[in-house]
Amino acid sequence: ALPRVSVELWIDAGPRHEPASQAGLANLTSKLLTYGTQKHSAVQISETLDFMGASLVAGCGEDVATVSMTILKKDLAAGLDLLAEILTQANFPQTEIDRQKQAVIASIRAREEDPGAVAATAFAAALFPKSPYGRPVEGTEDSVKGLQQKSLQGFFASHYRPNRAIIAVVGDVAEQEIAQALNKAMKGWSKGAPATKPSVPAEIGKPQLVQVKKDLTQANIVLGHNGVVRGNPDYYAIQVMNYILGGGGFSSRAMDAIRNERGLAYSVYSYFGAEKSHGAFQFVMQTRNETAAEAIRIAKEEMRRMREEPVSDQELNDAKDYLIGSFPLRFDTNRKVASFLAQVEYYELGLDYPERYAEFIR
């Protein structure tokens, strides 16, 4: 009903394709897509988007690079032409590389001053040693400084190809209409090496205690281990279980036992991150240094209780009701729907997944 169109593009061009010595290459490549092509400068691209009232954002996650565009229906053809241009003719000007490097390095330094981010980084490095999944997507300050224009251009040429991409479109446009518009705009985008399935981390870190010394009154704790992949048949049972354990906010057992009853932590939650090739379980807390050991003891006790004792019918039904009831919130904007559909395709869940989700949880 609204005269707008959202386009979500997922490309197999994530950090797992970069050498460890060039950590941050995939991330920097994605950030520079909209900062200059063979036809237009970064300023011209920005002015064009402003004139159309459109947004065009590129970024990078663990496995894929993403490009998101929202545009008025009347400007769709021009918007798709611009999208095709950055996907085929991005040229990575040295001045923009230098500017974006500084922005990424500033972000890395900010992350190193955030105790929660430091703990999360240390946890990933300990869990997935010698794996891209154990490294920050942004890379390190030293690795980013060493990235060269030639490497960025080479990574772009190798990985930004249509047979490595998923495109989801949502909005004021019919299927046949958008198919024709995309085929016209993207006709110059040639295939390259096909997408590859993410590989399982070669090594899982041994049980260990990793301490990062900081002069702080608060302890940031990440307690966890290897998790499950998204395709695991227990995935939905795990989501319900984790809602009860620590994923349900103030409704969770962890919040009740650690914060509400004992006042040991002002932030406590648990979650399972499930990707195509790997996953991680994390129990995350922030507490005073002197109460850290006690908070960890109670967290372990809550995990033991979850393993060994049945949950109550009330807890089970409340968790299911919340997960099913909150599911439609994922679809309250066109952009969210487009992103969700790209995700559904990426994880091969089937386009009828929204209709089946409630039954999986039940």
Side-chain angles (χ1 to χ4, degrees):
L2 293 171
R4 299 182 71 82
V5 178
S6 291
V7 180
E8 191 78 12
L9 181 67
W10 284 31
I11 306 172
D12 181 23
R16 64 191 180 87
H17 296 295
E18 69 193 13
S21 61
Q22 293 186 296
L25 175 63
N27 179 64
L28 189 60
T29 302
S30 70
K31 286 189 174 301
L32 282 160
L33 287 178
T34 59
Y35 284 86
T37 68
Q38 294 166 22
K39 292 180 180 178
H40 297 101
S41 67
V43 171
Q44 289 172 324
I45 291 171
S46 179
E47 288 175 346
T48 300
L49 291 168
D50 285 345
F51 180 75
M52 294 190 293
S55 67
L56 183 59
V57 181
C60 195
E62 276 195 337
D63 279 318
V64 297
T66 60
V67 182
S68 304
M69 183 176 73
T70 301
I71 195 162
L72 290 169
K73 169 63 181 293
K74 68 182 180 64
D75 298 318
L76 180 60
L80 292 179
D81 284 344
L82 182 59
L83 179 62
E85 186 179 321
I86 70 164
L87 291 171
T88 58
Q89 300 180 45
N91 66 345
F92 306 94
Q94 189 61 52
T95 53
E96 298 296 345
I97 292 173
D98 295 340
R99 189 176 290 120
Q100 285 302 311
K101 274 188 180 182
Q102 290 306 311
V104 172
I105 289 169
S107 175
I108 290 170
R109 288 174 179 170
R111 190 180 70 214
E112 289 171 350
E113 294 302 315
D114 179 346
V118 171
T121 299
F123 176 82
L127 181 60
F128 299 123
K130 305 173 187 173
S131 167
Y133 303 119
R135 304 193 302 259
V137 170
E138 290 177 319
T140 65
E141 187 169 338
D142 286 343
S143 68
V144 171
K145 283 179 179 176
L147 296 175
Q148 301 295 318
Q149 183 186 51
K150 186 176 179 181
S151 299
L152 293 159
Q153 291 170 334
F155 190 88
F156 171 74
S158 297
H159 297 94
Y160 282 76
R161 298 292 178 175
N163 52 326
R164 303 173 69 90
I166 293 167
I167 299 181
V169 184
V170 175
D172 183 20
V173 64
E175 181 181 353
Q176 186 176 359
E177 182 185 3
I178 190 61
Q180 290 174 348
L182 282 167
N183 283 329
K184 181 180 178 183
M186 304 287 179
K187 63 179 182 293
W189 196 18
S190 59
K191 290 183 179 182
T196 57
K197 287 190 175 181
S199 55
V200 178
E203 183 182 336
I204 301 299
K206 295 180 175 64
Q208 59 186 295
L209 172 64
V210 179
Q211 285 184 290
V212 181
K213 298 292 186 181
K214 292 264 186 186
D215 186 18
L216 299 166
T217 58
Q218 296 283 341
N220 287 259
I221 301 161
V222 183
L223 177 71
H225 50 69
N226 194 30
V228 299
V229 297
R230 182 61 179 79
N232 189 296
D234 287 334
Y235 175 80
Y236 301 98
I238 288 170
Q239 297 308 305
V240 176
M241 177 275 292
N242 185 65
Y243 181 88
I244 297 168
L245 174 65
F250 284 96
S251 302
S252 72
R253 288 181 174 186
M255 183 70 81
D256 214 35
I258 296 172
R259 174 174 164 156
N260 298 347
E261 290 180 13
R262 295 173 177 86
L264 293 178
Y266 59 87
S267 176
V268 52
Y269 59 91
S270 65
Y271 70 96
F272 280 80
E275 301 298 332
K276 261 193 170 181
S277 65
H278 68 287
F281 166 67
Q282 297 187 34
F283 198 111
V284 183
M285 296 181 285
Q286 291 175 320
T287 185
R288 299 187 307 280
N289 290 334
E290 58 269 24
T291 58
E294 177 66 1
I296 291 171
R297 184 190 69 77
I298 298 167
K300 288 181 175 178
E301 172 59 24
E302 288 301 328
M303 284 186 251
R304 182 206 62 76
R305 191 159 73 94
M306 181 61 75
R307 284 197 306 273
E308 297 175 6
E309 300 173 14
V311 300
S312 69
D313 288 344
Q314 183 72 49
E315 287 177 307
L316 183 61
N317 290 329
D318 286 351
K320 290 180 181 180
D321 288 348
Y322 176 83
L323 291 170
I324 293 169
S326 63
F327 187 69
L329 297 177
R330 302 185 192 187
F331 312 113
D332 59 359
T333 69
N334 280 357
R335 184 170 174 181
K336 280 189 186 179
V337 177
S339 179
F340 179 83
L341 291 175
Q343 185 178 346
V344 164
E345 185 70 10
Y346 179 72
Y347 290 112
E348 302 173 58
L349 303 176
L351 290 179
D352 60 346
Y353 177 74
E355 288 76 46
R356 294 156 57 221
Y357 175 81
E359 191 53 43
F360 290 147
I361 296 298
R362 288 192 189 102

